Amino acid sequence: MMTANKSLNAKKHKDSVFKRINNWLHLWLGLISGIIVFIVCVNACIWVFNEEITGLLEPQTKVEWQDKPVLKPSELTKIASRLYPDKIPSYANYQQGRAINLSLRLADAKPKDRRSGNTVLKINPYTGEVLAREEHKKGETDFFRFILNGHRFLWLPVEIGRPVVNYATLVFVVILITGLIWWYPKKWNKNTREKSFTIKWNASFKRLNLDLHNVLGFYAMIFLACIALTGMVYGIKWYSESVYWVTSGGEKLAEYKRMQSDSLQQGKFYTTGQAMDLAWSKVISRHPKSMGFYYSFADASQPKAAIDITVYPNKGQFYNSRGYSFDQHTLKEFIREDAYSVPYEQASFGQKLRKMNYDIHVGSILGFPGKVLAFFASLIGASLPVTGFLVWYNRKFKKKGDKKQKRSGWSETQERNYKPSRTSKVSEAMLASNSTSL
């Protein structure tokens, strides 16, 4: 009896202190953050194909490329004023092969209300034909905005939801690391290789669930780590600055600042429409083959507001985009110092990595195949809290059921009156210990 107890204790404590702490962290951090990781990953699966799905749902907004100039900002303004005299353009967004998305807002809207209650016109970039209209009431969101809100802050107030998601993502990175340590076999042989790299599809549900958690988690780990690490750049300031400091060789990350026009020059040189057209002509002449652009219309009610224009050389990618800012009164071009505004060809390693951050996050850095990889990685990421919970539940609460299963064929009376001997108690304890270490 004493020998059996000693062997059980040795079995229980055979792992090193480091391994036991690692396994404890993996288990409890996973249980605590599981629901958050599940929601964030499911929404990521849907969001990654938002452009492709939108294109399929709105076939009328597809516009074949033509070898001629697209509409100028002043021409879009005229279209907007004709249809909505009480509204003014806020921004225009265009990708080759699609209609221009022209967002309109009420002219007297307060700054905090300018992103709500707007109208979006889908305009043919060559003819000016309005292909579709979208009316957004105050507080209303479309499907993909709803998905993005869930992904970024769990549909909670931003000041609460953002920190929760950001630090749950940090915890998820720790879970990936501890999971890899737990997964790594003590000895490599044919049996451990099969358990570590293959899924036994014809096994029992418990074994299949364990394989789905361990094996799929291993294969998706690097992709999930890339997605998580790039996601934290947008939400955790100290992390974002630290990553840039390390990758740039000790440089400090310059903050993005909105440029301001010289309000004293108002009305001396150009009207708002003239300034927009001239700024647009300057930018497009430098990037005649750009596959997309985004520009914000100068706000005439805010004399210090600047004209901001961003061009995207590649369709569906943002890493080599280039941003420009101009004074809306003098058309002076501002020199922006943030990492996103440096031309990709001239950027340092740290700046290039920062410019690629979004494309890495959604997988588009590898084109469409990369987005497919990001989709499956996020899908596996969503499954890990579920399969992990089931592994824990089966080990924690199914032991008694497993013991009873070993005595199958007994009647209810026999089961109720069963009193294990000392030897059988030791045997059942060893069986429970072995099942826990599977």
Side-chain angles (χ1 to χ4, degrees), residues 11-303:
K11 176 75 174 175
K12 184 177 180 181
H13 298 290
K14 67 178 181 177
D15 290 332
S16 66
V17 174
F18 170 77
K19 193 69 181 287
R20 278 182 279 155
I21 292 174
N22 176 85
N23 295 355
W24 184 88
L25 285 173
H26 184 78
L27 170 63
W28 289 104
L29 290 179
L31 291 174
I32 292 168
S33 65
I35 187 65
I36 301 171
V37 172
F38 177 80
I39 294 172
V40 170
C41 286
V42 167
N43 285 316
C45 289
I46 302 171
W47 171 259
V48 72
F49 291 120
N50 74 90
E51 293 179 4
E52 289 79 5
I53 295 173
T54 300
L56 291 174
L57 296 177
E58 299 177 353
Q60 74 276 17
T61 62
K62 184 178 179 180
V63 179
E64 293 295 332
W65 178 82
Q66 298 178 33
D67 188 15
K68 62 181 184 179
V70 297
L71 298 175
K72 295 179 181 180
S74 61
E75 294 172 312
L76 294 176
T77 302
K78 289 178 182 177
I79 295 171
S81 61
R82 186 176 71 249
L83 297 174
Y84 297 91
D86 59 332
K87 294 187 176 184
I88 59 175
S90 179
Y91 68 84
N93 183 31
Y94 167 72
Q95 284 193 350
Q96 192 175 101
R98 309 297 307 174
I100 293 176
N101 289 330
L102 178 65
S103 178
L104 310 178
R105 62 174 177 82
L106 291 171
D108 57 352
K110 296 180 180 179
K112 65 178 182 178
D113 298 326
R114 288 180 181 178
R115 290 188 176 273
S116 60
N118 64 338
T119 299
V120 177
L121 301 180
K122 311 280 187 175
I123 300 175
N124 185 305
Y126 307 107
T127 66
E129 178 188 359
V130 177
L131 304 175
R133 306 184 193 187
E134 294 178 0
E135 299 284 350
H136 299 287
K137 297 178 181 179
K138 186 175 181 179
E140 183 182 61
T141 58
D142 59 25
F143 174 73
F144 281 110
R145 174 57 61 177
F146 175 80
I147 292 298
L148 187 60
N149 290 346
H151 179 72
R152 295 176 69 187
F153 45 87
L154 307 175
W155 305 291
L156 297 171
V158 178
E159 62 276 9
I160 298 174
R162 285 301 296 274
V164 170
V165 169
N166 293 333
Y167 283 96
T169 305
L170 179 59
V171 168
F172 183 59
V173 173
V174 176
I175 292 172
L176 291 175
I177 296 170
T178 55
L180 178 63
I181 295 171
W182 198 338
W183 167 89
Y184 195 87
K186 287 185 176 180
K187 294 181 180 179
W188 286 105
N189 53 45
K190 183 180 179 181
N191 186 43
T192 56
R193 282 195 298 271
E194 287 182 356
K195 286 184 177 180
S196 300
F197 297 110
T198 60
I199 298 173
K200 194 173 182 181
W201 295 103
N202 59 348
S204 65
F205 173 78
K206 287 173 66 175
R207 172 59 190 276
L208 177 60
N209 180 75
L210 183 63
D211 282 354
L212 290 173
H213 186 76
N214 290 344
V215 179
L216 291 184
F218 169 75
Y219 285 127
M221 185 192 66
I222 292 183
F223 301 104
L224 286 171
C226 289
I227 292 171
L229 292 171
T230 52
M232 289 191 295
V233 166
Y234 297 110
I236 304 178
K237 186 177 180 181
W238 63 261
Y239 169 81
S240 175
E241 292 176 346
S242 300
V243 169
Y244 187 80
W245 185 84
V246 171
T247 57
S248 64
E251 291 182 13
K252 186 178 180 181
L253 179 63
E255 293 185 11
Y256 172 78
K257 295 181 180 179
R258 286 194 172 277
M259 299 300 169
Q260 292 188 335
S261 299
D262 184 357
S263 58
L264 297 176
Q265 306 302 319
Q266 185 176 15
K268 293 182 179 180
F269 298 94
Y270 309 101
T271 64
T272 303
Q274 289 173 337
M276 282 296 301
D277 282 353
L278 289 171
W280 167 246
S281 297
K282 279 188 177 184
V283 172
I284 205 66
S285 65
R286 299 177 190 177
H287 304 273
K289 296 182 179 180
S290 176
M291 300 291 285
F293 60 78
Y294 176 99
Y295 56 73
S296 60
F297 286 80
D299 188 349
S301 66
Q302 300 291 325

Side-chain angles (χ1 to χ4, degrees), residues 336-354:
R336 289 165 54 174
E337 298 179 353
D338 59 284
Y340 294 100
S341 301
V342 179
Y344 183 78
E345 299 75 17
Q346 303 172 17
S348 64
F349 174 76
Q351 291 170 333
K352 284 182 177 178
L353 193 62
R354 183 52 55 101

Side-chain angles (χ1 to χ4, degrees), residues 309-323:
I309 302 176
T310 304
V311 294
Y312 305 103
N314 299 346
K315 186 176 181 180
Q317 292 180 322
F318 303 91
Y319 73 94
N320 58 351
S321 62
R322 180 73 189 276

Side-chain angles (χ1 to χ4, degrees), residues 376-389:
F376 282 110
S378 299
L379 190 62
I380 293 172
S383 75
L384 292 178
V386 178
T387 54
F389 173 81

